[in-house]
Amino acid sequence: MVDLKGQYEGIKDQVNTSFQEVIENAAFINGPEVQQFQKDLEDYLQVKNVIPCANGTDALQIAMMGLGLKPGDEVITADFTFAATVEVIALLQLTPVLVDVEPDTFNIDPEAIKKAITPKTKAIVPVHLFGQVANMDAIMEIAEEHNLYVIEDNAQAIGGNYHAKSGKTYKTGAIGHIGATSFFPSKNLGCYGDGGAIFTNDDKLAHTIRGIVNHGMYERYHHDVVGVNSRLDSLQAAVLRAKLPKLDLYNEARKKAANLYNDAFKDEAHIETPYRIGDCDTHVYHQYTLKIKNGKRDALAKHLQEKGIPFGIYYPIPLHQQKAYVDSRYNEADFPVTNQLVQEVLSLPMHTELDNEQIDYITGTIKEFLNS
């Protein structure tokens, strides 16, 4: 699904040199590489504060801790996403409120958000799923009307652009009150282990979060807030510093591959290709996810497995049906889109090193099967 070895070849010299410098300097935690990466990412995102941390799940948890959310507060998020988004809500003894998604973008449905708001609602967590930016104008309007926080889960869409109704263009993750991302190796901007970051334009909130990620300390052995141990190490920051200047090129390579897939599938009755809002820069294709119609998804998946073609089914079970998050408040009738998507979605290989020959083989295999 991802060719990290091929991508490494293009940055090998810089990464190896930086690794050696980190080892020789022995500044493994919060060293110069981390500090410089933080500044580089602030410049790229055009956001005032980036706080690196240990992974993307921590980033979401720390964001909620920084906002001072209390046990019992309700947090609305999408039913169709990876469990990390909802597990941190539960870990903090907040109340997750799952809602349906849009059938085209797969992102949280603003109308479903409106219906789910109660006096206990304190925050909304939109996920820019598979690299497609969510409808942030509508979400921010809802949040302003009801005095809610917006925490962007940007783990799958870093580098994407959102063209607001105001005419301004934002980087995903820098639109809401706070953003969180993952640098897991397979992400569009990935390191060679675990890593994450939190973004905000609120200086006071940033100050709180900087304490939280470091055991609640601003001064050594002075614990001013309840914190955790969640820091990006210098070796991972060195990888990210090498990759960040290439992120736009990496995303362009993904878009090129997506367009080749789209062209190959444009006349296929059994396939619906990924929806894209407006210009191509609103989708950075962390995943290239098809909808396979007419009940053919599982048979196609089996065929791809037999042919040795990687694929993913993201996600096979809605969060509201997961044992950990089952709740009597949920009604199956409230999740028609999600319940349909889990039966149809199938993701194909998507990375910066895909070439025409690989795409021709993948698409040819799929078309031959669906039309046989």
Side-chain angles (χ1 to χ4, degrees):
M1 293 292 283
V2 183
D3 182 8
L4 294 175
K5 187 174 180 180
Q7 189 184 67
Y8 166 68
E9 291 299 320
I11 55 173
K12 177 163 59 176
D13 291 344
Q14 183 178 350
V15 168
N16 291 354
T17 299
S18 296
F19 271 20
Q20 191 62 41
E21 289 175 355
V22 170
I23 292 166
E24 289 176 358
N25 294 334
F28 298 112
I29 301 294
N30 287 336
E33 290 284 350
V34 177
Q35 295 168 27
Q36 188 58 54
F37 171 66
Q38 173 187 321
K39 293 175 183 175
D40 293 346
L41 190 55
E42 286 170 348
D43 289 343
Y44 177 81
L45 295 172
Q46 290 295 289
V47 68
K48 291 174 69 177
N49 302 282
V50 166
I51 304 97
C53 64
N55 57 68
T57 307
D58 278 7
L60 285 168
Q61 177 177 325
I62 292 162
M64 294 178 195
M65 292 172 69
L67 291 171
L69 302 183
K70 304 297 184 185
D73 287 348
E74 294 179 354
V75 179
I76 298 172
T77 194
D79 187 40
F80 187 64
T81 187
F82 184 60
T85 311
V86 69
E87 74 186 2
V88 296
I89 301 171
L91 280 169
L92 293 173
Q93 299 184 0
L94 309 171
T95 301
V97 177
L98 299 169
V99 301
D100 210 3
V101 296
E102 298 172 327
D104 48 8
T105 68
F106 307 159
N107 285 324
I108 193 166
D109 184 345
E111 293 303 316
I113 294 173
K114 292 177 184 178
K115 294 176 183 177
I117 292 172
T118 75
K120 293 183 178 181
T121 306
K122 294 296 186 290
I124 305 166
V125 184
V127 182
H128 303 307
L129 198 70
F130 302 151
Q132 171 68 74
V133 62
N135 185 348
M136 292 303 295
D137 275 320
I139 292 166
M140 295 305 293
E141 286 171 7
I142 294 167
E144 184 175 355
E145 181 182 350
H146 295 275
N147 195 28
L148 306 176
Y149 293 116
V150 174
I151 305 165
E152 289 178 78
D153 184 337
N154 197 39
Q156 299 188 18
I158 194 161
N161 290 316
Y162 182 70
H163 305 292
K165 289 192 298 187
S166 66
K168 186 172 180 179
T169 296
Y170 298 88
K171 286 293 183 185
T172 54
I175 308 163
H177 299 95
I178 190 166
T181 203
S182 166
F183 300 126
F184 188 77
S186 64
K187 302 301 186 188
N188 293 39
L189 179 63
C191 54
Y192 292 163
D194 266 324
I198 305 123
F199 330 130
T200 183
N201 285 307
D202 184 326
D203 292 335
K204 184 178 179 181
L205 178 57
H207 175 74
T208 300
I209 289 170
R210 288 193 179 99
I212 292 173
V213 300
N214 190 32
H215 298 289
M217 294 189 295
Y218 301 99
E219 181 181 349
R220 194 166 177 80
Y221 302 126
H222 292 254
H223 304 274
D224 295 351
V225 296
V226 175
V228 297
N229 176 21
S230 185
R231 295 170 297 207
L232 180 70
D233 72 68
S234 298
L235 291 171
Q236 303 308 330
V239 176
L240 294 166
R241 281 198 67 204
K243 286 189 175 186
L244 181 58
K246 297 180 178 292
L247 178 57
D248 289 345
L249 292 175
Y250 290 161
N251 286 340
E252 285 300 320
R254 288 173 176 268
K255 293 170 195 173
K256 180 180 177 182
N259 286 335
L260 291 172
Y261 276 135
N262 290 344
D263 288 344
F265 293 134
K266 64 183 178 181
D267 296 321
E268 292 299 315
H270 300 295
I271 294 177
E272 187 173 325
T273 55
Y275 177 79
R276 187 172 66 212
I277 299 170
D279 197 327
C280 192
D281 65 356
T282 64
H283 202 320
V284 294
Y285 295 100
H286 173 62
Q287 301 292 349
Y288 182 85
T289 302
L290 302 170
K291 287 196 279 187
I292 307 299
K293 312 299 255 181
N294 304 320
K296 292 179 175 286
R297 195 273 308 275
D298 291 346
L300 174 58
K302 182 179 179 182
H303 182 69
L304 293 176
Q305 188 172 30
E306 291 170 351
K307 292 291 185 180
I309 296 175
F311 67 91
I313 295 176
Y314 313 120
Y315 300 94
I317 305 171
L319 288 176
H320 78 272
Q321 292 180 7
Q322 296 282 359
K323 189 181 296 186
Y325 306 111
V326 166
D327 194 298
S328 60
R329 294 172 298 140
Y330 298 137
N331 185 328
E332 288 299 328
D334 293 330
F335 302 98
V337 177
T338 296
N339 288 338
Q340 185 70 23
L341 289 176
V342 297
Q343 299 176 47
E344 294 181 344
V345 292
L346 185 139
S347 298
L348 300 181
M350 173 51 69
H351 52 82
T352 57
E353 311 306 307
L354 273 175
D355 59 35
N356 290 23
E357 184 178 356
Q358 291 170 324
I359 291 174
D360 286 346
Y361 178 69
I362 294 166
T363 57
T365 302
I366 291 171
K367 290 160 69 175
E368 182 182 10
F369 176 80
L370 291 177
N371 294 308
S372 61

